[in-house]
Amino acid sequence: MTEDTKFHHGDAAADVAPIVEMKNIEKHFGNIIALAGVSFDVKPGECHCLLGDNGAGKSTFIKTMSGVHKPTKGEIFFEGKPLHFDTPRDAMEAGIATVFQDLAMIPLMSVTRNFFMGREPTKGKGLMKRFDVEQANDVCMEEMRKMGINLRGPDQAVGTLSGGERQTVAIARAVYFGAKILILDEPTSALGVRQTSNVLATIDKVRSQGVGVVFISHNVRHALAVGDRFTVLNRGKTLGTATRGEITPEQLQDLMAGGQEMAELEGSLGGTV
Amino acid sequence: MSDSAQVAGDERVKKEPFMTKLMKRPELGAMAGVVLVVIFFAITADDSMFTLAGIMNFMTPAAQLGILAIGAALLMIGGEFDLSIGSMVAFAGLFFGVCVVTWQLPLIVAIPMTFIFAAFVGAINGNIVIRSGLPSFIVTLAFLFILRGLSLVGLKAATGGSTQLRGVRDVVENDWLAPFFSGEAFGGLFTWLAEKGMIDTFKSGAPKVPGIPVEILWFIVLALAATYVLLRTPAGNWIFASGGDSTAASNSGVPVNRVKVSLFMLTACCAALVAIITVIDAGSTDARRGFQKEFEAIIAAVIGGCLLTGGYGSAIGAFFGAIIFGMVVIGLTYTDFDQDWFQVFLGAMLLIAVLFNNAIRKRVTGER
Ligand SMILES: Nc1ncnc2c1ncn2[C@@H]1O[C@H](COP(=O)(O)OP(=O)(O)OP(=O)(O)O)[C@@H](O)[C@H]1O
Ligand SMILES: [Mg+2]
């Protein structure tokens, strides 16, 4: 099970205190119960994968972690203290950065303006305090280059980028600002082979710097390549958490599909899924 | 991880011609519009339109509208509308009139109070829009009527039955603050220019144009300040983001609600500024003040390149949009055309501007 990856996995010791701990989170949208009591934690220097079927509640769950949704019930502890974020801005200031599934990008705005949206670097003091456009442009181009994408220019509108380029901007932005927790909701869904491996390598890099990573993916191989722990959600509940080495890829895949139907598919597709 | 081979430049970028670069600026349409309108009037209008006196003549109404249009433009870029700014001019005018005439307050107290009052009404407007989640179009349409009605009722209460409150000029005439909000600035400069024979004079030797009307200065200062805020401050980025996609902006950490409420307050303050200037100028206030200015301000903003859907536009564009407006309204009196062509002109311009903006937006977003 360990030979499938070139990454040295975070050896987050079992006794390290988690950065964020979520206990029995419930989230209701009117009469829809999206989350029915999910517990989850992230430790510094680990990559915790959140897996599950479509509609299982993964995105809803990470949105309660990043301040977008307020949980209907349940508790959130940040560095040991009970806390709830009123806005995504609060979560960001605490050091949590997120790549949302919908990317949270504004097509009419330039790449740089998107990259620094809400966290613009400034220069000058008092009334002369202003958006440091030159520095912002440089940082943005540099961070994008690190992800393996060369932008034509920092003032290109995000609406004119390709799907994968857009996704990369969102990832680069989160990596740049994710001081303590980096949440990635299906970050590689539109990426090419080289960019995907860049993203996985980036996860490995920030993890080694002590950042806790939450990684959502439908791809078992990607999850296994970087994950230290795996939590599987199904219909708003956790099916359990497994540590790397405790579980085989086949078992994980079955869990992700809710334990159904995979066997049938396996036959006709020759195990290529 | 980085590709050093690609750092030098991108082989997939054609050199962008200067014109295409210009085409991407939102204010381009309005600038082109100004040129066209100037050409039109240079051909059809009496020569006196483009003398110094003629220019001041159309710049004064342009400035009064432009102050509103810049506020409206910022709000539109932020993704909201305010249809109540015209009524707000009347309402703020009433409040200001009551402050100086009925309560006999000096301007140094009355003017800040008027701005605070306007900002408060703007905040109510904004909070209702944000909290209800209703389109600002509907909420502010309600305020269009509410504020206009309150202005009428209030005027009658303040004057004992009249819809006009007089006597403003008498009480503010000698106030030291009055020159900032009325009359002309740089009088000395214009007298000097007249003495040197550089500008037209009356027979007595006094300049035909005694100075620059203060509203024109306010208009220019406001346009520059708004442009600076939009392009060079974090707040400007937040305004574009809030209007572009409020969910995405909020998820990225932009305090969208605060941005939007502030913009509503700012537009109301722009209306209050116009109210103060025009009330002092006229020496009285009445319930029809600012009538239909909300539409004219929004039209000027749209001509200036603001998208109705928000997230795109410019303050400089609104500046030129308002100048086009002033030129057309006043310019027609210098021609042989029936003045009522004004409305046709206006509608046509609006239509052309919207079509043009739509094309530009498709260009910017890559035809998606
Ligand atoms: N704002 C909302 N209002 C009502 N229902 C919602 C809302 N957001 C999510 N849901 C519901 O909650 C459930 C979980 O959705 P969620 O987006 O979290 O799924 P997911 O696990 O991220 O799925 P996917 O893998 O497809 O992204 C879905 O059934 C969805 O319909
Ligand atoms: Mg999802």
Side-chain angles (χ1 to χ4, degrees):
Chain A
M1 241 308 300
T2 36
E3 71 285 349
D4 60 342
T5 164
K6 60 185 192 298
F7 299 123
H8 59 86
H9 284 267
D11 351 74
D15 53 343
V16 173
I19 307 176
V20 173
E21 192 172 6
M22 321 260 299
K23 282 189 181 157
N24 296 316
I25 300 293
E26 288 187 28
K27 179 68 197 175
H28 305 177
F29 294 107
N31 61 343
I32 299 168
I33 302 172
L35 297 173
V38 177
S39 297
F40 185 89
D41 62 16
V42 196
K43 293 176 182 161
E46 78 161 345
C47 174
H48 195 157
C49 293
L50 191 57
L51 310 168
D53 225 352
N54 289 131
K58 304 179 295 297
S59 298
T60 309
F61 184 74
I62 59 105
K63 280 183 180 167
T64 62
M65 199 186 278
S66 55
V68 176
H69 292 322
K70 281 198 196 76
T72 312
K73 260 191 216 147
E75 294 168 298
I76 304 178
F77 295 90
F78 186 77
E79 296 184 323
K81 289 184 281 288
L83 187 72
H84 68 269
F85 300 120
D86 286 322
T87 60
R89 196 176 178 79
D90 290 348
M92 248 160 227
E93 269 159 19
I96 300 180
T98 311
V99 178
F100 292 99
Q101 197 165 9
D102 65 6
L103 304 183
M105 291 268 148
I106 296 178
L108 281 166
M109 278 167 43
S110 73
V111 174
T112 303
R113 280 179 177 272
N114 267 287
F115 194 98
F116 287 98
M117 181 172 29
R119 285 160 294 192
E120 296 78 4
T122 55
K123 62 180 174 193
K125 284 208 182 73
L127 263 182
M128 285 306 293
K129 194 166 159 185
R130 58 202 186 276
F131 185 8
D132 191 348
V133 180
E134 291 78 31
Q135 199 215 331
N137 282 342
D138 291 346
V139 170
C140 174
M141 292 296 277
E142 178 56 29
E143 294 303 313
M144 288 301 289
R145 203 169 293 137
K146 280 190 203 163
M147 302 299 297
I149 290 206
N150 269 277
L151 288 180
R152 284 157 218 195
D155 54 355
Q156 193 177 358
V158 159
T160 62
L161 295 180
S162 80
E165 285 172 333
R166 216 178 296 188
Q167 202 162 32
T168 312
V169 179
I171 297 168
R173 170 173 78 173
V175 169
Y176 185 74
F177 287 106
K180 289 181 179 155
I181 300 267
L182 175 62
I183 302 171
L184 304 155
D185 192 348
E186 292 186 42
T188 53
S189 60
L191 295 191
V193 181
R194 189 163 61 95
Q195 282 77 11
T196 301
S197 80
N198 265 338
V199 168
L200 297 181
T202 306
I203 292 176
D204 186 47
K205 192 181 80 197
V206 299
R207 169 175 60 193
S208 66
Q209 293 160 355
V211 175
V213 181
V214 180
F215 181 46
I216 297 180
S217 179
H218 285 295
N219 188 316
V220 186
R221 280 189 298 136
H222 293 171
L224 280 169
V226 289
D228 298 305
R229 283 193 294 163
F230 308 89
T231 295
V232 182
L233 282 190
N234 188 26
R235 304 180 67 81
K237 290 202 178 99
T238 30
L239 290 183
T241 301
T243 315
R244 165 174 205 79
E246 277 178 4
I247 188 168
T248 67
E250 292 71 31
Q251 285 171 322
L252 199 58
Q253 188 146 338
D254 281 352
L255 274 175
M256 283 169 66
Q260 308 150 5
E261 290 148 33
M262 278 316 276
E264 285 173 42
L265 275 176
E266 207 85 57
S268 60
L269 296 175
T272 51
V273 188
Chain B
M1 256 194 309
S2 64
D3 288 276
S4 45
Q6 288 183 25
V7 175
D10 195 323
E11 73 289 355
R12 290 192 300 171
V13 185
K14 278 191 293 186
K15 205 169 153 356
E16 196 169 41
F18 179 68
M19 270 313 287
T20 336
K21 237 179 201 157
L22 209 64
M23 282 288 285
K24 285 189 177 163
R25 299 297 316 156
E27 53 272 356
L28 174 88
M31 285 174 161
V34 169
V35 173
L36 285 181
V37 173
V38 166
I39 292 173
F40 176 79
F41 283 115
I43 295 168
T44 59
D46 191 277
D47 286 345
S48 62
M49 181 170 168
F50 291 106
T51 61
L52 192 59
I55 292 173
M56 293 301 174
N57 211 3
F58 69 72
M59 278 302 283
T60 305
Q64 290 174 2
L65 174 66
I67 294 170
L68 297 177
I70 289 168
L74 290 185
L75 185 62
M76 272 175 82
I77 297 172
E80 305 290 341
F81 275 108
D82 191 348
L83 292 183
S84 70
I85 34 180
S87 304
M88 190 66 219
V89 174
F91 199 44
L94 162 70
F95 185 86
F96 177 68
V98 168
C99 279
V100 292
V101 176
T102 315
W103 298 337
Q104 296 284 320
L105 296 171
L107 289 184
I108 186 72
V109 181
I111 288 174
M113 271 176 67
T114 307
F115 279 120
I116 292 170
F117 176 74
F120 178 72
V121 177
I124 295 179
N125 240 332
N127 273 300
I128 294 178
V129 170
I130 300 288
R131 278 163 212 268
S132 66
L134 289 169
S136 49
F137 185 83
I138 281 301
V139 173
T140 58
L141 183 62
F143 271 87
L144 180 153
F145 290 105
I146 293 171
L147 295 183
R148 183 70 65 188
L150 283 177
S151 306
L152 267 169
V153 176
L155 272 169
K156 284 191 199 149
T159 58
S162 164
T163 56
Q164 193 178 33
L165 181 63
R166 288 197 188 109
V168 175
R169 182 159 308 135
D170 307 334
V171 288
V172 304
E173 216 162 28
N174 295 316
D175 200 297
W176 62 273
L177 205 53
F180 290 94
F181 294 93
S182 68
E184 283 88 19
F186 302 129
L189 174 70
F190 278 69
T191 316
W192 182 79
L193 286 173
E195 277 164 10
K196 294 276 172 207
M198 289 161 82
I199 54 174
D200 292 346
T201 56
F202 291 114
K203 286 212 180 69
S204 66
K208 277 188 180 165
V209 179
I212 302 177
V214 286
E215 50 262 68
I216 297 181
L217 295 180
W218 278 105
F219 176 42
I220 294 170
V221 168
L222 216 61
L224 293 176
T227 303
Y228 174 76
V229 168
L230 276 180
L231 298 183
R232 281 291 175 271
T233 68
N237 209 26
W238 296 358
I239 294 173
F240 280 113
S242 303
D245 181 340
S246 59
T247 315
S250 157
N251 285 356
S252 306
V254 176
V256 173
N257 293 354
R258 216 165 75 210
V259 169
K260 290 194 170 179
V261 172
S262 309
L263 288 175
F264 273 107
M265 291 165 74
L266 177 80
T267 354
C269 285
C270 287
L273 178 60
V274 171
I276 291 167
I277 290 171
T278 57
V279 167
I280 295 182
D281 195 39
S284 67
T285 187
D286 60 83
R288 273 186 68 84
R289 197 160 287 285
F291 186 65
Q292 288 200 340
K293 287 289 178 221
E294 56 280 336
F295 294 111
E296 297 181 4
I298 290 173
I299 292 171
V302 170
I303 292 175
C306 291
L307 288 183
L308 295 154
T309 43
Y312 193 75
S314 91
I316 289 291
F319 177 85
F320 288 117
I323 292 177
I324 292 180
F325 217 102
M327 274 205 278
V328 174
V329 181
I330 303 295
L332 285 175
T333 62
Y334 287 89
T335 65
D336 300 330
F337 296 112
D338 187 335
Q339 279 221 35
D340 290 325
W341 278 104
F342 162 61
Q343 309 232 7
V344 179
F345 217 136
L346 197 64
M349 244 164 13
L350 179 64
L351 198 59
I352 294 170
V354 173
L355 291 172
F356 185 80
N357 290 349
N358 208 27
I360 289 279
R361 182 195 41 201
K362 281 195 183 140
R363 227 191 154 85
V364 170
T365 56
E367 324 268 329
R368 265 179 241 226

